[in-house]
Amino acid sequence: MPDRHVDSELCLVRLYILPMPLAREAPYWLYPYWGEVAREVKHFFVERAARARPLLEKVGVSPTVQLYEYDSRIEDWPIHAYEIVFRSRASAALLSESGLAGVADPGRTVVQRAHAEGYAVIPLAGPSSITLALSASGLSGQAFTFWGYPPIEKRQRRQFLQKVIGAAAQMTQILMETPARSSSLLGELIAVAPPDLYLCVAHHLTAADGWVRTQPVALWQPMDLPKAPTLFLLGRM
């Protein structure tokens, strides 16, 4: 992988990081410069083509543009995608399933390659479920840890949650769970976290039925959360 030092102000080739809506019904056109950039580039690194292409076509992107799909088996994009884009010095865009690529989603390998190739990397403003949940939680945003998904195996999961809960006394802890297991995680946190620790549940952010609620663990009751993306934040006020 070549290592070139290029002044980004003079760089003509760019990798744009395009934010994707968190909820499918969210208006994609709200994000500044989104459509203009999308129509400019001809190569897109995407997490799933079936999710990205309809939005791209709605803003006038040609159906003939190249979409390179993330391969979960190798946890990267296929090597031929890198070769096509970077060898031809073509500008490109990076999109995740929702929110910002590279933040709790695939994308960092594309960004790493772009930096090494002397590209200007330009992130556009848009939604990130982590920062939206944190800002709406009322918990400290000065220092926080994002953990991603808890383990599934019971013993590892219990140890993981104990570690997260212990750390929440010092700084805000953020974790997420799959829609199918979110209700279970809520119940586990209510059962094992100290009653005076604050728990925030940020459910289906930006959707019409989304909500954010923060209160001491003692005030939470188990509930069936609708199957939608949910984040959990633990901390002190």
Side-chain angles (χ1 to χ4, degrees), residues 9 14 31 38 48 59 69 82 128 147 164 169 185 193 196 207 216 223-224 228 233 235:
E9 292 183 357
R14 301 174 176 181
Y31 312 137
R48 279 202 311 157
V59 296
E69 200 165 40
Y82 291 126
S128 168
W147 292 92
V164 170
L185 178 57
D196 61 340
M223 67 174 70
D224 289 328
L233 298 85

Side-chain angles (χ1 to χ4, degrees), residues 20-234:
M20 285 285 278
L22 299 177
R24 293 183 183 274
E25 65 271 23
Y28 55 87
W29 54 85
L30 288 181
Y31 312 137
Y33 200 32
W34 205 104
E36 187 176 340
V37 167
R39 289 187 293 271
E40 174 186 323
V41 300
K42 306 301 181 187
H43 302 270
F44 294 84
F45 293 93
V46 303
E47 195 168 353
R48 279 202 311 157
R51 166 77 164 131
R53 193 175 291 280
L55 285 181
L56 293 173
E57 292 185 357
K58 281 183 179 179
V59 296
V61 174
S62 170
T64 63
V65 297
Q66 295 296 311
L67 269 59
Y68 309 105
E69 200 165 40
Y70 179 76
D71 188 340
S72 60
R73 295 170 300 176
I74 61 173
E75 298 185 344
D76 202 349
W77 278 262
I79 188 65
H80 75 265
Y82 291 126
E83 292 175 345
I84 292 171
V85 174
F86 294 112
R87 284 186 181 177
S88 63
R89 306 295 292 166
S91 290
L94 170 64
L95 297 80
S96 72
E97 184 78 4
S98 66
L100 287 172
V103 181
D105 273 321
R108 70 184 184 96
T109 54
V110 177
V111 175
Q112 289 170 352
R113 179 65 179 261
H115 282 302
E117 294 284 353
Y119 274 54
V121 178
I122 304 174
L124 270 62
S128 168
S129 61
I130 299 168
T131 54
L132 288 176
L134 181 60
S135 66
S137 71
L139 302 175
S140 175
Q142 297 300 313
F144 61 92
T145 300
F146 174 71
W147 292 92
Y149 294 97
I152 297 176
E153 194 276 322
K154 288 185 177 180
R155 182 170 176 272
Q156 293 179 350
R157 189 178 180 90
R158 183 172 61 253
Q159 292 175 341
F160 170 83
L161 292 180
Q162 290 173 346
K163 182 177 181 178
V164 170
I165 291 168
Q170 304 301 320
M171 67 175 67
T172 303
Q173 307 293 303
I174 307 173
L175 58 156
M176 63 198 307
E177 186 53 288
T178 62
R181 289 195 290 265
S182 290
S183 297
S184 176
L185 178 57
L186 175 60
E188 292 173 271
L189 292 173
I190 293 171
V192 300
D196 61 340
L197 191 68
Y198 278 82
L199 168 63
C200 171
V201 178
H203 177 74
H204 211 188
L205 289 169
T206 74
D209 61 349
W211 50 269
V212 181
R213 185 184 308 161
T214 303
Q215 58 189 11
V217 170
L219 299 181
W220 280 100
Q221 295 294 326
M223 67 174 70
D224 289 328
L225 295 169
K227 288 182 171 57
T230 305
L231 279 83
F232 300 84
L233 298 85
L234 293 158

